Amino acid sequence: MLSRRKMLGGAGAITAVAAAASVSKVAMAALPEPVMQTRPDTMPPLVPNTGRPYNPVVTLNGWTLPWRMNNGVKEFHLVAEPVVREMTPGFKAHLWGYNGQSPGPTIEVVEGDRVRIFVTNKLGELTSIHWHGQRLPNGMDGVTGLNQPGIAPGKTFVYEFVARRPGTFMYHPHADEMVQMAMGMMGFWITHPKAKHPLIDEVDRDFVFLLNAYDIDPGSYTPKIMTMLDFNLWSWNSRIFPGIDPLVVRKNDKVRIRIGNLTMTNHPIHLHGHEFLVTGTDGGPTPKSARQYEVTADVAVGQMRQIDFLADEEGDWAFHCHKSHHTMNAMGHDVPTMIGVDHSGVARQITKLIPDYMVMAERGMKDMTEMEMPLPDNTAAMMTGTGPYGSVGMGGMFSVVKVRKDQPTGDYKDPGWYKHPAGTVAYEFTGALPDPARFKAEGAGSMPPLARPATDTEVTVRKPGAGSSQHKQH
Ligand SMILES: [Cu+2]
């Protein structure tokens, strides 16, 4: 156990603690010691020291749960409990999770392994765990009331099954699911193939993370669990940019990224600079004939996608959800669009009453990324992150794939910003700008109208939620 702890980030990173006081000493003797994680850092891969060998995954801002081998059975101990999760430096959320963190630790096993998972409930209400995507005996599927009674507070249940099919899976409660998942209870599960698999290539780096979302009012700590769509924190493994670690790879590495979606909307995940193949889903490896190159993979609710690519372009490549609202942190959605509206007169009047009032977004919202706006304590800045050329103006589901030719094999340390070779960065044009040429046919359609209307109508588009379209008559 000590050697595993060392692998997971050294002294202090992990503390083994006694389980709930209600578990008797005799029962405790049969339980594997629960391993806790107190830090939100990306831990190095947990190289297996018992059982069949495999190439371990790296959990973005997370870790893999060590196991105990007991007569050929891999034993894990998950503790469902309230946790404090740092979502980005300076912003902590009060969530529910497993073994000290949200999401819970990644579980990694090998096809054919017999797995026994002890689940201790330290929450104030019933819970259970559903092993999403697995082939298993029906009574191990974890649906409270249907397959098992709920695990009462203070109780420990045992799940046991053989990991029959290799692939990418997740786990989450199937008891008061809406609340428990809105509070951050979920985790990743990888079943590695037991031998070379015709549809599962060996890769050099294998990253995993879950898509999740929270609605936490600025200045508060606890998610609003009744929110269905209007979340204000769009996260990867309960982290928001700039708190999401970069995915660091060596040039020409074969890279795999596995993504699972436990939010309540789809996320088109987009990689810059490379094309990837979707090589697997929750259903298993994708047949080769069904694979096509993509730069964006939509991950629908409850789905998992496994993407593979060759990292053969050096640089700092953005990697993010393509829904632009999901690369923003805490913001209200009921703010009217003010682009093109001169409200400086109004602002002057308001400033007399409220000195901190900000003129919102007259030229767009990018200005706000560089503005020093007083925020309540424990509030994530809306868009932040400073790159080598200034503010990135992003939040939420955003990170960077860093491809470096001199990154040592197996080293995940952040190499800093990419140093662009001379002459390979977009630059300012300083010559004279000619008058723009207009199309001669401007204003025509595919067919001429019978008669042109007496007056032109100009439409000013406002975003939904801030009122419908406005019409201005000229
Ligand atoms: Cu998204």
Side-chain angles (χ1 to χ4, degrees), residues 205-401:
R205 307 212 182 204
D206 197 339
F207 296 94
V208 308
F209 61 92
L210 288 167
L211 306 168
N212 45 17
Y214 300 96
D215 186 16
I216 305 179
D217 280 337
S220 71
Y221 295 83
T222 306
K224 289 154 77 178
I225 46 99
M226 293 311 290
T227 300
M228 183 175 165
L229 292 171
D230 228 354
F231 295 91
N232 61 8
L233 297 164
W234 298 96
S235 45
W236 289 357
N237 276 353
S238 304
R239 292 283 281 188
I240 50 174
F241 184 77
I244 303 173
D245 282 341
L247 293 81
V248 178
V249 309
R250 180 182 164 87
K251 189 182 178 189
N252 294 325
D253 270 352
K254 282 186 182 168
V255 181
R256 174 167 297 149
I257 305 175
R258 311 177 196 231
I259 305 156
N261 182 0
L262 286 175
T263 73
M264 283 186 271
T265 187
N266 64 312
H267 301 279
I269 302 297
H270 176 53
L271 174 65
H272 291 214
H274 298 81
E275 311 83 44
F276 58 75
L277 291 170
V278 177
T279 55
T281 71
D282 353 18
T286 307
K288 288 213 162 138
S289 59
R291 297 178 186 181
Q292 58 185 354
Y293 284 102
E294 305 268 12
V295 295
T296 305
D298 194 27
V299 189
V301 182
Q303 282 188 339
M304 325 215 54
R305 288 291 177 270
Q306 172 187 305
I307 66 171
D308 288 15
F309 64 98
L310 179 69
D312 57 354
E313 296 287 350
E314 266 196 283
D316 290 337
W317 301 105
F319 179 53
H320 60 94
C321 176
H322 216 291
K323 285 188 176 175
S324 52
H325 282 225
H326 294 180
T327 50
M328 304 276 264
N329 293 333
M331 78 171 172
H333 282 99
D334 46 0
V335 180
T337 297
M338 299 301 275
I339 292 169
V341 178
D342 178 6
H343 55 316
S344 52
V346 181
R348 256 193 304 280
Q349 296 298 315
I350 297 174
T351 313
K352 283 182 194 158
L353 300 167
I354 310 163
D356 286 338
Y357 179 74
M358 263 192 7
V359 180
M360 177 77 87
E362 191 179 316
R363 295 177 296 175
M365 285 173 83
K366 175 80 178 162
D367 288 2
M368 298 188 62
T369 64
E370 275 144 23
M371 224 171 256
E372 297 231 350
M373 186 167 61
L375 294 169
D377 287 348
N378 200 52
T379 298
M382 187 164 66
M383 298 172 283
T384 180
T386 305
Y389 300 103
S391 170
V392 179
M394 289 277 158
M397 295 177 160
F398 183 92
S399 188
V400 180
V401 174

